[in-house]
Coordinates of all heavy atoms in Angstrom, one line a residue:
M1 N 150.1 108.1 121.8 CA 151.0 107.0 121.2 C 150.0 106.0 120.6 O 149.1 105.5 121.3 CB 151.9 106.5 122.2 CG 152.9 105.5 121.6 SD 154.4 105.3 122.6 CE 154.0 103.8 123.4
S2 N 150.3 105.5 119.4 CA 149.5 104.5 118.8 C 149.7 103.1 119.4 O 150.8 102.8 119.8 CB 149.8 104.4 117.3 OG 149.2 103.3 116.7
S3 N 148.6 102.4 119.5 CA 148.8 101.0 120.1 C 148.9 100.0 118.9 O 148.9 98.8 119.2 CB 147.6 100.7 120.9 OG 146.4 100.7 120.2
E4 N 148.9 100.5 117.7 CA 149.0 99.6 116.5 C 150.3 98.9 116.5 O 151.4 99.6 116.7 CB 148.8 100.4 115.3 CG 148.7 99.6 114.0 CD 148.5 100.5 112.8 OE1 147.8 101.5 112.9 OE2 149.0 100.1 111.7
K5 N 150.3 97.6 116.3 CA 151.6 96.9 116.2 C 152.3 97.1 114.9 O 151.6 97.2 113.9 CB 151.3 95.4 116.4 CG 150.9 95.0 117.8 CD 150.9 93.5 117.9 CE 150.6 93.1 119.3 NZ 150.5 91.7 119.5
R6 N 153.6 97.2 115.0 CA 154.3 97.4 113.7 C 155.2 96.2 113.5 O 155.7 95.6 114.5 CB 155.2 98.7 113.9 CG 154.4 99.9 114.1 CD 155.2 101.1 114.2 NE 155.8 101.3 112.8 CZ 156.7 102.2 112.6 NH1 157.1 103.1 113.5 NH2 157.2 102.4 111.4
Y7 N 155.3 95.8 112.3 CA 156.1 94.6 112.0 C 157.2 95.0 111.0 O 157.2 96.0 110.3 CB 155.2 93.6 111.3 CG 154.1 93.1 112.2 CD1 152.9 93.6 112.1 CD2 154.4 92.1 113.2 CE1 151.9 93.2 113.0 CE2 153.4 91.7 114.1 CZ 152.2 92.2 114.0 OH 151.2 91.8 114.8
C8 N 158.2 94.2 111.0 CA 159.4 94.4 110.2 C 158.9 94.3 108.7 O 158.0 93.5 108.4 CB 160.5 93.5 110.5 SG 160.8 92.2 109.4
R9 N 159.5 95.1 107.9 CA 159.1 95.1 106.5 C 159.3 93.8 105.7 O 158.6 93.5 104.8 CB 160.0 96.2 105.8 CG 159.7 96.5 104.4 CD 160.6 97.7 103.9 NE 161.0 97.6 102.6 CZ 160.2 97.8 101.6 NH1 158.9 98.2 101.8 NH2 160.6 97.7 100.3
K10 N 160.2 93.0 106.2 CA 160.5 91.7 105.6 C 159.8 90.5 106.2 O 160.2 89.4 105.9 CB 162.0 91.5 105.5 CG 162.7 92.4 104.7 CD 162.4 92.2 103.2 CE 163.3 93.2 102.3 NZ 163.0 93.0 100.9
C11 N 158.8 90.8 107.0 CA 158.1 89.6 107.7 C 157.0 89.1 106.8 O 156.3 89.9 106.1 CB 157.5 90.1 109.0 SG 158.7 90.3 110.3
L12 N 156.8 87.8 106.8 CA 155.7 87.2 106.1 C 154.5 87.1 107.0 O 154.6 87.4 108.2 CB 156.1 85.8 105.7 CG 157.4 85.7 104.8 CD1 157.7 84.2 104.5 CD2 157.3 86.5 103.6
L13 N 153.4 86.8 106.5 CA 152.2 86.7 107.3 C 152.4 85.8 108.5 O 151.9 86.1 109.6 CB 151.0 86.3 106.5 CG 150.2 87.3 105.7 CD1 149.1 86.6 105.0 CD2 149.6 88.3 106.7
S14 N 153.0 84.7 108.2 CA 153.2 83.6 109.3 C 154.1 84.1 110.4 O 154.1 83.5 111.5 CB 153.8 82.4 108.7 OG 155.1 82.7 108.1
E15 N 154.8 85.2 110.2 CA 155.7 85.8 111.2 C 155.1 87.0 111.9 O 155.8 87.7 112.6 CB 157.0 86.1 110.5 CG 157.7 84.9 109.9 CD 158.7 85.2 108.9 OE1 158.8 86.4 108.4 OE2 159.5 84.3 108.6
Q16 N 153.8 87.3 111.6 CA 153.2 88.6 112.1 C 152.2 88.3 113.2 O 151.1 88.8 113.2 CB 152.5 89.3 110.9 CG 153.6 89.9 109.9 CD 152.9 90.8 108.9 OE1 151.8 91.1 108.9 NE2 153.7 91.1 107.9
G17 N 152.6 87.4 114.1 CA 151.8 87.1 115.3 C 150.5 86.3 114.9 O 150.3 85.8 113.8
E18 N 149.7 86.2 115.9 CA 148.5 85.4 115.8 C 147.5 85.8 114.7 O 147.0 85.0 114.0 CB 147.7 85.4 117.2 CG 146.6 84.4 117.3 CD 147.0 82.9 117.1 OE1 148.2 82.6 117.3 OE2 146.2 82.1 116.7
N19 N 147.3 87.1 114.6 CA 146.5 87.7 113.5 C 147.0 87.3 112.2 O 146.2 86.9 111.3 CB 146.3 89.2 113.7 CG 145.4 89.5 114.8 OD1 144.6 88.7 115.3 ND2 145.4 90.8 115.2
G20 N 148.3 87.4 112.0 CA 148.9 87.1 110.7 C 148.7 85.6 110.4 O 148.3 85.3 109.2
R21 N 149.0 84.8 111.4 CA 148.8 83.3 111.1 C 147.4 83.0 110.9 O 147.1 82.1 110.0 CB 149.4 82.6 112.4 CG 150.9 82.6 112.4 CD 151.4 81.6 113.5 NE 151.1 82.0 114.8 CZ 151.8 82.9 115.5 NH1 152.9 83.4 115.0 NH2 151.4 83.2 116.7
M22 N 146.4 83.6 111.5 CA 145.0 83.3 111.3 C 144.6 83.7 109.9 O 143.9 83.0 109.2 CB 144.1 83.9 112.4 CG 144.2 83.2 113.7 SD 143.3 84.1 115.0 CE 141.7 84.2 114.4
Q23 N 145.1 84.9 109.5 CA 144.8 85.4 108.2 C 145.3 84.4 107.1 O 144.7 84.1 106.1 CB 145.3 86.8 108.0 CG 144.9 87.5 106.7 CD 145.4 88.9 106.7 OE1 146.1 89.4 107.6 NE2 145.1 89.6 105.6
L24 N 146.6 84.0 107.3 CA 147.2 83.1 106.4 C 146.5 81.8 106.3 O 146.2 81.3 105.2 CB 148.7 82.8 106.8 CG 149.5 81.8 106.0 CD1 149.6 82.3 104.5 CD2 150.8 81.6 106.5
E25 N 146.1 81.2 107.4 CA 145.4 79.9 107.4 C 144.1 80.1 106.7 O 143.7 79.1 106.0 CB 145.1 79.5 108.9 CG 146.4 78.9 109.5 CD 146.1 78.5 111.0 OE1 145.0 78.3 111.4 OE2 147.1 78.5 111.7
K26 N 143.4 81.2 106.8 CA 142.1 81.4 106.1 C 142.4 81.4 104.6 O 141.7 80.7 103.8 CB 141.5 82.8 106.5 CG 140.2 83.0 105.9 CD 139.6 84.3 106.4 CE 140.1 85.4 105.5 NZ 139.6 86.8 105.8
Y27 N 143.4 82.1 104.1 CA 143.8 82.1 102.7 C 144.2 80.7 102.2 O 143.7 80.2 101.2 CB 144.9 83.1 102.4 CG 144.5 84.5 102.4 CD1 145.1 85.4 103.3 CD2 143.5 85.0 101.6 CE1 144.7 86.7 103.3 CE2 143.1 86.3 101.7 CZ 143.7 87.2 102.5 OH 143.3 88.5 102.6
L28 N 145.0 80.0 103.0 CA 145.5 78.7 102.6 C 144.4 77.6 102.5 O 144.5 76.7 101.7 CB 146.7 78.3 103.5 CG 147.9 79.1 103.5 CD1 149.1 78.5 104.2 CD2 148.4 79.5 102.0
A29 N 143.4 77.8 103.4 CA 142.3 76.8 103.4 C 141.6 76.8 102.1 O 140.9 75.9 101.8 CB 141.4 77.2 104.6
A30 N 141.7 77.9 101.3 CA 141.0 78.0 100.1 C 141.7 77.2 98.9 O 141.1 77.1 97.9 CB 140.8 79.5 99.7
I31 N 142.9 76.8 99.2 CA 143.7 76.1 98.2 C 143.6 74.6 98.4 O 144.0 74.1 99.5 CB 145.2 76.5 98.2 CG1 145.3 78.0 98.2 CG2 145.9 75.8 97.1 CD1 144.9 78.7 96.9
H32 N 143.0 73.9 97.4 CA 142.9 72.4 97.6 C 144.3 71.8 97.7 O 145.3 72.3 97.1 CB 142.2 71.8 96.3 CG 140.8 72.2 96.2 ND1 139.8 71.5 96.9 CD2 140.2 73.3 95.6 CE1 138.6 72.1 96.6 NE2 138.8 73.2 95.9
K33 N 144.4 70.7 98.4 CA 145.6 70.0 98.7 C 146.4 69.7 97.4 O 147.6 69.8 97.3 CB 145.4 68.8 99.5 CG 146.6 68.2 100.1 CD 146.3 67.0 101.1 CE 147.5 66.4 101.7 NZ 148.2 67.2 102.7
E34 N 145.6 69.2 96.4 CA 146.3 68.8 95.2 C 146.8 70.0 94.4 O 147.6 69.8 93.4 CB 145.3 67.9 94.3 CG 144.0 68.7 93.9 CD 142.9 68.5 94.9 OE1 143.1 68.2 96.0 OE2 141.7 68.8 94.5
D35 N 146.4 71.2 94.7 CA 146.8 72.4 94.0 C 148.0 73.1 94.7 O 148.4 74.1 94.3 CB 145.7 73.4 93.8 CG 144.6 72.8 93.0 OD1 144.9 72.0 92.1 OD2 143.4 73.2 93.2
R36 N 148.5 72.4 95.8 CA 149.5 73.1 96.6 C 150.9 72.6 96.3 O 151.1 71.4 95.9 CB 149.3 72.8 98.1 CG 148.1 73.4 98.7 CD 147.9 73.1 100.1 NE 146.7 73.7 100.7 CZ 146.5 73.9 102.0 NH1 147.4 73.6 102.8 NH2 145.4 74.5 102.4
T37 N 151.9 73.4 96.4 CA 153.3 73.0 96.2 C 153.6 72.1 97.4 O 153.0 72.1 98.5 CB 154.2 74.2 96.2 OG1 154.0 74.9 97.4 CG2 154.0 75.1 95.1
D38 N 154.7 71.3 97.2 CA 155.1 70.5 98.4 C 155.9 71.4 99.3 O 156.2 72.5 99.0 CB 156.0 69.3 97.9 CG 157.3 69.8 97.2 OD1 158.1 70.5 97.8 OD2 157.4 69.4 96.0
D39 N 156.1 70.9 100.6 CA 156.7 71.8 101.6 C 158.0 72.3 101.2 O 158.3 73.5 101.5 CB 156.8 71.0 102.9 CG 155.4 70.7 103.6 OD1 154.4 71.3 103.1 OD2 155.4 69.9 104.5
A40 N 158.9 71.5 100.6 CA 160.2 71.9 100.3 C 160.2 73.1 99.3 O 160.9 74.1 99.4 CB 161.0 70.8 99.8
A41 N 159.4 72.9 98.3 CA 159.3 74.0 97.2 C 158.7 75.2 97.8 O 159.1 76.4 97.5 CB 158.4 73.5 96.1
Y42 N 157.7 75.1 98.7 CA 157.1 76.3 99.3 C 158.1 77.0 100.1 O 158.2 78.3 100.0 CB 155.9 75.8 100.2 CG 155.2 76.8 101.0 CD1 154.5 77.8 100.3 CD2 155.1 76.8 102.4 CE1 153.7 78.8 101.0 CE2 154.4 77.7 103.1 CZ 153.7 78.7 102.4 OH 153.0 79.7 103.1
E43 N 158.9 76.3 100.9 CA 159.9 77.0 101.7 C 161.0 77.7 100.9 O 161.4 78.8 101.2 CB 160.5 76.0 102.7 CG 159.6 75.7 103.9 CD 159.1 76.9 104.6 OE1 159.9 77.9 104.8 OE2 157.9 77.0 105.0
K44 N 161.3 77.0 99.8 CA 162.3 77.5 98.9 C 161.8 78.8 98.3 O 162.6 79.8 98.2 CB 162.7 76.5 97.8 CG 163.9 76.8 97.0 CD 164.3 75.7 96.1 CE 165.5 76.1 95.3 NZ 165.9 75.0 94.4
R45 N 160.6 78.8 97.8 CA 160.0 80.0 97.3 C 160.0 81.2 98.3 O 160.3 82.3 98.0 CB 158.6 79.8 96.8 CG 158.5 78.9 95.5 CD 157.1 78.6 95.2 NE 157.0 77.8 93.9 CZ 155.9 77.5 93.4 NH1 154.7 77.8 93.9 NH2 155.9 76.9 92.2
L46 N 159.6 80.8 99.5 CA 159.5 81.9 100.5 C 160.8 82.4 100.9 O 161.0 83.6 101.2 CB 158.7 81.4 101.7 CG 157.2 81.1 101.5 CD1 156.6 80.7 102.8 CD2 156.5 82.3 101.0
E47 N 161.9 81.6 100.9 CA 163.2 82.1 101.2 C 163.6 83.1 100.1 O 164.2 84.1 100.5 CB 164.2 80.9 101.1 CG 164.3 80.1 102.4 CD 164.6 81.1 103.6 OE1 165.5 81.8 103.6 OE2 163.7 81.0 104.6
R48 N 163.3 82.9 98.9 CA 163.6 83.8 97.8 C 162.8 85.1 98.1 O 163.3 86.2 97.9 CB 163.3 83.2 96.5 CG 163.7 84.2 95.3 CD 165.2 84.4 95.4 NE 165.7 85.4 94.4 CZ 165.7 86.7 94.7 NH1 165.4 87.2 95.8 NH2 166.2 87.6 93.7
C49 N 161.5 85.0 98.4 CA 160.7 86.2 98.7 C 161.3 87.0 99.9 O 161.3 88.2 99.8 CB 159.3 85.8 99.0 SG 158.4 85.2 97.6
R50 N 161.7 86.3 100.9 CA 162.3 87.0 102.1 C 163.5 87.9 101.7 O 163.7 88.9 102.3 CB 162.8 86.0 103.1 CG 161.6 85.5 104.0 CD 162.2 84.7 105.1 NE 161.2 84.1 105.9 CZ 160.7 82.8 105.7 NH1 161.2 82.1 104.8 NH2 159.7 82.4 106.4
A51 N 164.3 87.4 100.7 CA 165.5 88.2 100.3 C 165.2 89.2 99.2 O 166.1 89.8 98.7 CB 166.5 87.1 99.8
C52 N 164.0 89.2 98.8 CA 163.6 90.0 97.6 C 163.3 91.5 97.9 O 162.7 91.8 98.9 CB 162.4 89.4 96.9 SG 162.0 90.2 95.3
E53 N 163.8 92.3 97.0 CA 163.6 93.8 97.1 C 162.1 94.1 96.9 O 161.7 95.2 97.2 CB 164.5 94.6 96.2 CG 164.1 94.5 94.7 CD 164.4 93.2 94.0 OE1 165.1 92.3 94.6 OE2 164.0 93.0 92.9
Q54 N 161.4 93.2 96.3 CA 160.0 93.4 96.0 C 159.0 93.0 97.2 O 157.8 93.2 97.1 CB 159.6 92.7 94.8 CG 160.2 93.2 93.5 CD 159.8 94.6 93.2 OE1 158.7 95.0 93.2 NE2 160.8 95.5 93.0
L55 N 159.6 92.4 98.2 CA 158.7 92.1 99.4 C 158.4 93.4 100.1 O 159.3 94.0 100.7 CB 159.4 91.1 100.3 CG 158.6 90.7 101.5 CD1 157.3 90.0 101.1 CD2 159.4 89.7 102.4
G56 N 157.1 93.7 100.2 CA 156.7 94.9 100.8 C 156.1 94.7 102.2 O 156.2 93.6 102.8
S57 N 155.6 95.8 102.7 CA 154.9 95.7 104.0 C 153.7 94.8 103.9 O 153.2 94.6 102.8 CB 154.5 97.0 104.5 OG 153.6 97.6 103.6
D58 N 153.2 94.2 105.0 CA 152.1 93.4 105.1 C 152.3 92.1 104.2 O 151.3 91.5 103.8 CB 150.8 94.1 104.6 CG 150.4 95.2 105.5 OD1 150.8 95.1 106.7 OD2 149.8 96.2 105.1
A59 N 153.5 91.7 104.0 CA 153.9 90.4 103.4 C 153.3 90.3 101.9 O 153.1 89.2 101.5 CB 153.3 89.3 104.2
T60 N 153.2 91.5 101.3 CA 152.7 91.4 99.9 C 153.9 91.7 98.9 O 154.9 92.3 99.3 CB 151.7 92.5 99.6 OG1 152.2 93.8 99.9 CG2 150.4 92.2 100.4
C61 N 153.8 91.2 97.7 CA 154.7 91.4 96.7 C 154.4 92.7 96.0 O 153.3 92.9 95.6 CB 154.7 90.2 95.7 SG 155.7 90.5 94.2
L62 N 155.4 93.6 95.9 CA 155.2 94.9 95.3 C 155.0 94.8 93.8 O 154.5 95.7 93.2 CB 156.3 95.8 95.6 CG 156.5 96.2 97.1 CD1 157.8 97.0 97.3 CD2 155.3 96.8 97.7
S63 N 155.4 93.7 93.2 CA 155.2 93.5 91.8 C 153.8 93.1 91.4 O 153.3 93.6 90.4 CB 156.2 92.5 91.2 OG 157.5 93.0 91.2
C64 N 153.2 92.3 92.2 CA 151.9 91.8 91.8 C 150.8 92.1 92.9 O 149.6 92.0 92.5 CB 151.9 90.3 91.6 SG 152.3 89.3 93.1
G65 N 151.2 92.5 94.1 CA 150.2 92.8 95.1 C 149.6 91.6 95.9 O 148.8 91.8 96.8
C66 N 150.1 90.4 95.5 CA 149.6 89.2 96.3 C 150.3 89.1 97.6 O 151.5 89.5 97.7 CB 149.9 88.0 95.4 SG 149.0 87.8 93.9
Y67 N 149.7 88.4 98.5 CA 150.4 87.9 99.7 C 151.4 86.8 99.1 O 150.9 85.9 98.4 CB 149.5 87.3 100.7 CG 148.7 88.3 101.5 CD1 147.4 88.5 101.3 CD2 149.4 89.1 102.4 CE1 146.7 89.5 102.0 CE2 148.7 90.1 103.2 CZ 147.4 90.3 102.9 OH 146.7 91.2 103.6
V68 N 152.7 86.9 99.5 CA 153.6 86.0 98.8 C 153.4 84.6 99.3 O 153.6 83.7 98.5 CB 155.1 86.4 99.1 CG1 155.4 87.7 98.4 CG2 155.4 86.5 100.6
E69 N 152.9 84.4 100.5 CA 152.7 83.0 100.9 C 151.5 82.4 100.1 O 151.5 81.2 99.8 CB 152.4 82.9 102.4 CG 153.6 83.2 103.2 CD 153.4 83.9 104.5 OE1 152.9 85.1 104.4 OE2 153.7 83.4 105.6
F70 N 150.5 83.2 99.9 CA 149.4 82.7 99.1 C 149.8 82.3 97.7 O 149.4 81.3 97.1 CB 148.3 83.8 99.1 CG 147.0 83.3 98.4 CD1 146.2 82.4 99.0 CD2 146.6 83.9 97.2 CE1 145.0 82.0 98.5 CE2 145.4 83.5 96.7 CZ 144.6 82.5 97.3
R71 N 150.6 83.1 97.1 CA 151.1 82.9 95.7 C 152.1 81.7 95.7 O 152.0 80.8 94.8 CB 151.9 84.1 95.2 CG 152.1 84.1 93.7 CD 152.6 85.5 93.3 NE 152.8 85.5 91.9 CZ 151.9 86.0 91.0 NH1 150.8 86.6 91.5 NH2 152.0 86.0 89.8
A72 N 152.9 81.6 96.7 CA 153.9 80.5 96.8 C 153.3 79.1 97.0 O 153.9 78.1 96.6 CB 155.0 80.8 97.8
I73 N 152.2 79.1 97.7 CA 151.7 77.8 98.0 C 151.0 77.1 96.8 O 150.8 75.9 96.8 CB 150.6 77.9 99.2 CG1 150.3 76.5 99.8 CG2 149.3 78.5 98.7 CD1 151.4 75.9 100.6
Q74 N 150.7 77.9 95.8 CA 150.0 77.4 94.7 C 150.9 76.7 93.7 O 151.9 77.4 93.2 CB 149.2 78.5 94.0 CG 148.1 79.1 94.9 CD 147.4 80.2 94.2 OE1 146.7 80.0 93.2 NE2 147.6 81.4 94.7
K75 N 150.7 75.4 93.4 CA 151.5 74.7 92.5 C 151.8 75.4 91.2 O 152.8 75.5 90.6 CB 150.9 73.3 92.2 CG 151.8 72.3 91.7 CD 151.1 71.0 91.5 CE 150.8 70.2 92.8 NZ 150.2 68.9 92.6
R76 N 150.7 76.1 90.7 CA 150.8 76.8 89.4 C 151.2 78.2 89.6 O 151.2 79.0 88.6 CB 149.5 76.7 88.7 CG 149.1 75.2 88.3 CD 147.8 75.1 87.7 NE 147.7 75.8 86.4 CZ 146.6 75.9 85.7 NH1 145.5 75.2 86.0 NH2 146.6 76.6 84.6
G77 N 151.5 78.6 90.8 CA 151.9 80.0 91.1 C 153.3 80.3 90.5 O 154.1 79.3 90.3
S78 N 153.5 81.5 90.2 CA 154.8 81.9 89.7 C 155.2 83.3 90.2 O 154.3 84.1 90.6 CB 154.9 81.8 88.2 OG 154.0 82.7 87.7
C79 N 156.5 83.5 90.2 CA 156.9 84.8 90.7 C 156.8 85.8 89.5 O 157.3 85.5 88.4 CB 158.4 84.7 91.1 SG 159.2 86.3 91.3
P80 N 156.3 87.0 89.7 CA 156.2 87.9 88.5 C 157.5 88.4 88.0 O 157.6 88.8 86.9 CB 155.4 89.1 89.1 CG 155.5 89.0 90.6 CD 155.7 87.5 90.9
K81 N 158.6 88.2 88.8 CA 159.9 88.6 88.4 C 160.7 87.4 88.0 O 161.9 87.5 87.7 CB 160.7 89.3 89.5 CG 160.1 90.6 89.9 CD 160.5 91.7 88.9 CE 160.1 93.1 89.4 NZ 160.4 94.1 88.4
H82 N 160.1 86.2 87.9 CA 160.7 85.0 87.5 C 161.9 84.5 88.4 O 162.8 83.9 88.0 CB 161.2 85.0 86.0 CG 160.1 85.5 85.1 ND1 159.0 84.7 84.8 CD2 159.9 86.7 84.5 CE1 158.2 85.4 84.0 NE2 158.7 86.6 83.8
Y83 N 161.8 84.9 89.7 CA 162.8 84.4 90.7 C 162.5 83.0 91.1 O 163.4 82.3 91.5 CB 162.8 85.3 91.9 CG 163.3 86.7 91.6 CD1 162.8 87.8 92.3 CD2 164.4 87.0 90.7 CE1 163.2 89.1 92.0 CE2 164.8 88.2 90.5 CZ 164.2 89.3 91.1 OH 164.7 90.6 90.9
W84 N 161.3 82.5 91.0 CA 161.0 81.1 91.2 C 159.8 80.7 90.3 O 159.2 81.5 89.7 CB 160.7 80.8 92.7 CG 159.7 81.7 93.4 CD1 160.1 82.7 94.2 CD2 158.3 81.7 93.4 NE1 159.0 83.3 94.7 CE2 157.9 82.7 94.2 CE3 157.4 80.9 92.7 CZ2 156.5 83.0 94.5 CZ3 156.0 81.2 93.0 CH2 155.6 82.2 93.8
Ligands
SF4_101 S1 156.9 86.8 94.3 FE1 158.9 87.2 93.3 S2 159.0 89.4 93.0 FE2 157.4 89.0 94.6 S3 158.5 89.1 96.5 FE3 158.5 87.0 95.9 S4 160.5 86.7 94.8 FE4 160.0 88.9 94.9

């Protein structure tokens, strides 16, 4: 039996345990504060991603291949399907 952890298909990195949160923090640290969306816009974008048919395993967007949280945090980021 595999000891590999499995996560729900619709989980974001922030919801994938300590490893996911650490990976997310590493990515987000690369984005300057002035280049980040505000908290409300970030959460709104992620809510749309959570409901999206394009959200794949490992919290990536099947349309663009990005981690959705990494894309959503960027002020100039956009959804490849124009959902946000
Ligand atoms: S970035 Fe757009 S297409 Fe990709 S999962 Fe989020 S809402 Fe869906």
Side-chain angles (χ1 to χ4, degrees):
M1 186 159 99
S2 171
S3 62
E4 186 177 327
K5 287 188 176 180
R6 300 182 66 184
Y7 296 98
C8 104
R9 183 175 149 77
K10 292 291 185 180
C11 287
L12 303 181
L13 271 179
S14 60
E15 299 161 343
Q16 294 186 8
E18 188 61 24
N19 284 346
R21 284 191 293 276
M22 285 173 58
Q23 190 176 358
L24 177 62
E25 283 176 24
K26 187 178 86 178
Y27 285 123
L28 298 188
I31 308 294
H32 292 272
K33 194 172 178 73
E34 62 271 18
D35 295 330
R36 295 181 181 201
T37 55
D38 61 62
D39 290 349
Y42 180 61
E43 286 306 320
K44 191 172 179 182
R45 288 176 174 185
L46 292 183
E47 276 307 306
R48 185 60 186 92
C49 290
R50 280 187 184 94
C52 184
E53 73 286 352
Q54 294 295 311
L55 180 61
S57 60
D58 296 333
T60 58
C61 172
L62 297 177
S63 287
C64 66
C66 293
Y67 285 107
V68 294
E69 287 145 304
F70 186 69
R71 196 172 184 98
I73 195 71
Q74 297 177 67
K75 201 179 281 183
R76 296 175 62 180
S78 61
C79 166
K81 294 285 190 182
H82 307 288
Y83 292 142
W84 49 261

